[in-house]
């Protein structure tokens, strides 16, 4: 276990034997074959604030509960993404009607650079454990 990002600062990369040698850094056990490196399990540290406390800060927004197409909707070179999702409309701090058939798009680096808060809920998907995050993202579509 090792931190990759702490207080918004990149501390390390995922290294295979090949990439660690190229960057003159210690291998950290993240080799996944063919000279590639990847995580086995990745966890974002949660806070003590509940998601309901986060809703109170939102006058008009979305609580995204499901994102599809992560394997094909993200450009690994540019970090640009366009992903179908669904969730709930948040109005005046309250979770309202369900929304679907919407797309979020943008740049991953920008999305994560603009995280304002992290909450206490935590879910796992594909070895990634993450709580809800408050950030801005472009949205289009209908519900």
């Amino acid at each position: 276990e090792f931190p990759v990002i702490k207080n918004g600062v990149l501390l390390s990369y995922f290294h295979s034997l090949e990439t660690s040698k190229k960057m003159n850094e210690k291998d950290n056990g993240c080799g996944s074959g063919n000279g590639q490196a990847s995580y086995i399990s990745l966890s974002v540290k949660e806070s003590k604030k509940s998601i309901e406390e986060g809703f109170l800060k939102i006058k008009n927004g979305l609580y995204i509960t499901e994102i599809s197409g992560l394997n094909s909707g993200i450009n690994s070179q540019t970090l640009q993404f366009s992903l179908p999702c669904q969730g709930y409309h948040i109005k005046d701090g309250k979770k309202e009607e369900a929304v679907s058939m919407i797309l979020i798009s943008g740049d991953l680096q920008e999305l994560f650079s603009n995280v304002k808060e992290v909450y206490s809920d935590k879910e796992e998907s594909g070895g990634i454990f993450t709580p809800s995050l408050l950030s801005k993202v472009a949205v289009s579509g209908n519900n």
Side-chain angles (χ1 to χ4, degrees):
E1 180 176 311
F2 61 92
V4 178
I5 299 171
K6 187 172 184 176
N7 298 326
V9 177
L10 179 66
L11 301 177
S12 182
Y13 294 94
F14 299 118
H15 282 299
S16 65
L17 289 172
E18 184 177 304
T19 61
S20 64
K21 186 180 266 188
K22 281 182 183 177
M23 295 184 74
N24 199 26
E25 292 189 15
K26 185 179 176 191
D27 170 40
N28 54 24
C30 294
S32 62
N34 297 326
Q36 301 294 311
S38 181
Y39 63 89
I40 294 168
S41 175
L42 184 63
S43 182
V44 175
K45 187 175 179 182
E46 70 275 15
S47 74
K48 293 182 181 184
K49 293 180 184 177
S50 72
I51 188 66
E52 290 77 16
E53 289 176 86
F55 291 163
L56 294 174
K57 296 180 177 201
I58 301 171
K59 188 164 183 72
N60 186 22
L62 288 175
Y63 173 47
I64 296 171
T65 57
E66 189 172 323
I67 300 173
S68 303
L70 291 172
N71 60 334
S72 61
I74 302 173
N75 183 312
S76 61
Q77 292 179 327
T78 66
L79 300 179
Q80 296 288 310
F81 64 90
S82 180
L83 300 164
C85 60
Q86 61 188 26
Y88 295 91
H89 181 226
I90 305 297
K91 185 165 182 173
D92 297 324
K94 293 185 170 79
K95 187 164 72 167
E96 304 254 324
E97 72 275 0
V99 294
S100 60
M101 306 288 290
I102 56 176
L103 287 173
I104 56 172
S105 61
D107 175 278
L108 283 178
Q109 187 172 9
E110 188 176 303
L111 176 74
F112 290 120
S113 294
N114 290 322
V115 170
K116 302 293 182 213
E117 287 192 346
V118 177
Y119 299 107
S120 61
D121 61 329
K122 201 171 204 181
E123 293 188 20
E124 185 271 340
S125 178
I128 299 175
F129 298 82
T130 183
S132 294
L133 308 170
L134 176 64
S135 189
K136 282 188 171 185
V137 66
V139 178
S140 62
N142 300 318
N143 68 351

